[in-house]
Amino acid sequence: MLRHLRYLTAVAEHQNFTRAAEALHVSQPTLSQQIKQLETTLHVQLLDRSGRTVRLTDAGEAYLRYARRALLELDAGTRAIHDVQDLSRGSLRLAMTPTFTAYLIGPLVERFSTRYPGISLSVRELTQDRIEAALAADTLDLGIAFAQARSSEIETQALFVESLGLVVGDNHPRAGTQTPMDLRELEHERLVLLSSDFATRRHIDQHFRDHGIDPRIVIEADSISAIVEIIRRGQLATVLPEAITREQPKLHLINLSPAIPPRTAALLRRKGAYMNAASRAFTELSSTWS
């Protein structure tokens, strides 16, 4: 049908089968046959062939208006496909767990947006469970969380290893110390930790249980930024990724002994999900992150 529309448009423009056939690089009999097929399909005469020039009938005039509009839309669709494939346009739905929004989202998204300014980004902060649920429901394209996915619908791609330690502010007595802290000493610290909804908190709690530590948790929060502000301004302590201390001023890292096991940060996606060009580009970029 697309070919028929282009043939009809050419004949209407040239008002002559011979010139239209030359412009289309087809034979005149082929062109005439294709127009006849279109008229047969529509059960109407589209062209008046009785004069020296070929003219549209009233039905042909009415039909051609829609045919031209359809051809314009199809051409726009073809350009849109090319735009998406070459990443001049497109969209990406992304989510990260809170620890990554504290130090990773800024430089990673800045690098991606600089390289692909035409891509529209939607970035959300969610727990890993909610990221996996959103991926399974196809309301997200990609997530950044941890390699131990709970859902069998989710596949992971390792990105880098994240280390955690005790983090304090300038006002804490241990600020600036280079000596590792024995894990037992944590029982004397007043801690601010993420709530148990978060994978980071569950990872920390497991390490405490493994070593029989009963920490003194005085504040629980659902926001990394809130925890950072509390630590920065007072004498409380927290357990956060080491990388956060490099991105946030006035924070100090104290290594723990025994250390909390490092975790593998990973890119999450739904198994078998279609990956658009933006998702593939982000996957490639994040896989080179260090």
Side-chain angles (χ1 to χ4, degrees), residues 29 120 130 185 224 262 272 277:
S120 173
R130 292 181 64 191
E185 295 182 62
I224 291 287

Side-chain angles (χ1 to χ4, degrees), residues 5-287:
L5 297 183
R6 295 195 186 282
Y7 286 1
L8 177 64
T9 302
V11 173
E13 178 183 344
H14 293 281
Q15 297 184 326
N16 182 280
F17 275 94
T18 300
R19 290 196 296 270
E22 290 173 352
L24 293 167
H25 305 290
V26 299
S27 67
Q28 182 176 331
T30 297
L31 176 59
S32 298
Q33 181 186 28
Q34 294 294 313
I35 296 297
K36 276 291 186 183
Q37 286 181 0
L38 179 60
E39 291 177 320
T40 300
T41 300
L42 297 174
H43 304 290
V44 68
Q45 183 177 341
L46 299 171
L47 297 173
D48 179 0
R49 302 166 176 82
S50 61
R52 296 183 61 183
T53 59
V54 180
R55 297 184 180 278
L56 291 164
T57 63
D58 290 344
E61 288 278 5
Y63 185 75
L64 188 61
R65 285 198 297 271
Y66 291 96
R68 282 172 170 159
R69 189 180 307 166
L71 290 172
L72 287 174
E73 291 296 324
L74 288 169
D75 287 343
T78 300
R79 291 195 302 273
I81 290 173
H82 293 158
D83 286 344
V84 168
Q85 293 303 318
D86 67 16
L87 292 163
S88 60
R89 283 167 38 180
S91 62
L92 178 64
R93 302 168 300 174
L94 178 68
M96 296 184 183
T97 57
T99 54
F100 294 125
T101 60
Y103 71 89
L104 180 63
I105 189 172
L108 184 56
V109 168
E110 189 276 333
R111 186 183 298 182
F112 182 81
S113 296
T114 298
R115 187 173 299 181
Y116 307 110
I119 301 299
S120 173
L121 270 175
S122 169
V123 182
R124 301 168 64 188
E125 181 182 81
L126 300 172
T127 63
Q128 178 149 352
D129 289 343
R130 292 181 64 191
I131 288 176
E132 292 185 23
L135 288 169
D138 195 31
T139 57
L140 278 180
D141 298 311
L142 296 171
I144 295 182
F146 302 102
Q148 294 77 26
R150 292 187 169 190
S151 172
S152 60
E153 297 182 69
I154 304 302
E155 62 182 10
T156 64
Q157 176 182 322
L159 297 178
F160 58 89
V161 174
E162 180 185 73
S163 300
L164 294 93
L166 190 71
V167 177
V168 300
D170 284 343
N171 296 323
H172 192 279
R174 288 182 177 266
T177 183
Q178 301 298 315
T179 305
M181 176 188 286
D182 186 278
L183 199 60
R184 284 284 173 194
E185 295 182 62
L186 268 185
E187 294 183 327
H188 304 295
E189 292 288 338
R190 299 166 66 224
L191 297 179
V192 184
L193 296 180
L194 281 168
S195 72
S196 57
D197 292 335
F198 295 91
T200 296
R201 173 63 185 277
R202 293 195 294 268
H203 184 68
I204 294 167
D205 286 348
Q206 184 61 54
H207 188 62
F208 290 163
R209 285 194 296 270
D210 289 346
H211 292 84
I213 303 301
D214 183 20
R216 184 183 177 188
I217 302 168
V218 296
I219 300 176
E220 290 186 333
D222 290 335
S223 164
I224 291 287
S225 59
I227 292 176
V228 167
E229 284 303 306
I230 292 169
I231 298 304
R232 183 183 288 143
R233 297 173 183 275
Q235 295 188 359
L236 303 180
T238 190
V239 178
L240 288 176
E242 174 185 332
I244 290 180
T245 62
R246 296 195 296 267
E247 293 293 324
Q248 301 287 344
K250 299 183 179 181
L251 293 183
H252 306 269
L253 177 72
I254 301 171
N255 293 318
L256 295 171
S257 179
I260 298 174
R263 304 179 293 176
T264 300
L267 198 66
L268 278 59
R269 54 180 168 262
R270 180 168 55 87
K271 290 180 180 177
Y274 167 73
M275 287 186 67
N276 60 25
S279 295
R280 292 195 298 271
F282 189 88
T283 298
E284 181 179 351
L285 179 66
S286 57
S287 66

